[in-house]
Every structure is written in C-alpha cells, then in structure tokens.
Amino acid sequence: MLKTFIPILISLILALWVVAIAIISVQNATPVSLKFLTFESVQIPVGLFLAFSAGVGLIGTAIIQPLWGIAGSRQNQPTFDEDAEFFVDDEDF
C-alpha cells in the first residue's frame, strides 16, 4: 500500500509546484535579478527563476539522496568493541 502511495504523493507535489510556478509567472512577469555581495545576475522573469530553482533542487535532492543511503549504511555496520577482551568474568577461572 505504501509503495503505491509514495509515487502518487511525489507526482502530486511536483504537479502543485508546476501549477504554482505557472500561476505566479502569469501574474508577475516582471524581470528580476539576483544580487549576492558584488555579483549580480542577468534579469530573468520570476517564473523562469522559480522553475530553474525548483529543477536545481529536484536534481540536487536526487543526487544527494543515494549518498545519504551510503552514509546511513556505514553507520549501521557493527563495530567491534576492543575493550570487551579486557573484561573477563570471574567464573571463567
């Protein structure tokens, strides 16, 4: 049940993003430019900027997600406790 629900939820979120970008683009077509410290970008429409930002975010998340899986699998590996050999039960002697 959950495996069929997740793709539907992802598709719904992406569809909402596309609709929101389309609505904002139509209502606000004025060009904007980004400024960071002394750098300034070329002027582009707000909708194009939103679409580009959403695309970069989706691609970045798709790239980073497998790396989180690799990092998580390393944490789940058993670690050997080197101090265990120094503690001996009295019953063994």
Side-chain angles (χ1 to χ4, degrees), residues 3 11 19 38 67-68 74:
K3 288 186 178 184
S11 298
V19 169
T38 60
L67 297 177
W68 281 333
R74 289 184 184 164

Side-chain angles (χ1 to χ4, degrees), residues 13-82:
I13 291 171
L14 288 175
L16 288 174
W17 265 106
V18 169
V19 169
I21 289 172
I23 290 171
I24 291 172
S25 297
V26 169
Q27 290 180 353
N28 188 4
T30 58
V32 295
S33 63
L34 300 176
K35 294 179 183 178
F36 180 71
L37 299 176
T38 60
F39 303 107
E40 185 174 354
S41 70
V42 295
Q43 291 191 344
I44 56 175
V46 174
L48 185 62
F49 172 72
L50 289 175
F52 181 73
S53 298
V56 168
L58 288 171
I59 292 170
T61 303
I63 291 171
I64 289 176
Q65 219 169 17
L67 297 177
W68 281 333
I70 292 171
S73 66
R74 289 184 184 164
Q75 292 175 353
N76 293 336
Q77 291 179 348
T79 57
F80 297 105
D81 191 11
E82 295 177 2

